[in-house]
Amino acid sequence: MTLGEFVALCDCVVKTGNSSHCMRLVGRPLDDLYYFLKKNPEERERLTMARSLFHDELTSSVRELAFAGIPGFRRGEKGKIVTDTDGQPIVDRVPNAQLIAAVLREGSNRLARAERSDIVRSVSPKFLNEVQTIEMEIESDPPPEVIDIGRK
């Protein structure tokens, strides 16, 4: 596997989230990926970042669906679909409390994993420059936005 093929694989992983599926699309065995990563350990971070980008996009989509609501046909008496004056079915979007809870739980788990990773990096002496970089990035971040999801 060449570096160009690996970069293409990472692009595929960003879209699908599945490296074995992407290897099948390329027509190569999964062992080629493991062999490439063994020979080029510095490239492992690129694959991890691709998976992380996919996960972030997926989480964002689910979060949007959870808060905006899942579309469904309005139902009337005996489950009959309610239509408007033109005869088109009326679609309501209802926020899903279970989905909201799952998104928030996943977000907190991911934050905890990221914090553990940052602690490990900060303890290691070879990552001191990275720690300073992270501190500068944190200081330059805008203040968090408050999202009101409760009832008034």
Side-chain angles (χ1 to χ4, degrees), residues 8-100:
L9 171 83
C10 289
D11 289 341
C12 178
V13 170
V14 167
K15 295 174 186 152
T16 66
N18 189 331
S19 53
S20 60
H21 174 71
C22 291
M23 287 298 287
R24 278 193 301 268
L25 290 176
V26 174
R28 300 191 73 153
L30 192 56
D31 291 342
D32 285 358
L33 174 61
Y34 298 135
Y35 182 73
F36 177 83
L37 291 174
K38 186 175 181 181
K39 289 278 197 183
N40 305 292
E42 69 280 358
E43 293 297 329
R44 183 175 298 276
E45 190 172 324
R46 185 188 308 251
L47 183 60
T48 302
M49 182 59 74
R51 288 178 179 146
S52 180
L53 288 172
F54 171 78
H55 184 268
D56 288 346
E57 184 64 33
L58 179 64
T59 303
S60 174
S61 299
V62 171
R63 180 178 292 118
E64 183 178 317
L65 186 62
F67 289 111
I70 298 172
F73 293 120
R74 185 180 298 174
R75 302 229 177 228
E77 201 174 303
K78 298 183 182 178
K80 183 179 177 189
I81 295 176
V82 177
T83 58
D84 60 10
T85 56
D86 296 332
Q88 298 295 320
I90 298 174
V91 177
D92 291 327
R93 296 184 74 86
V94 180
N96 187 319
Q98 292 174 330
L99 198 52
I100 291 171

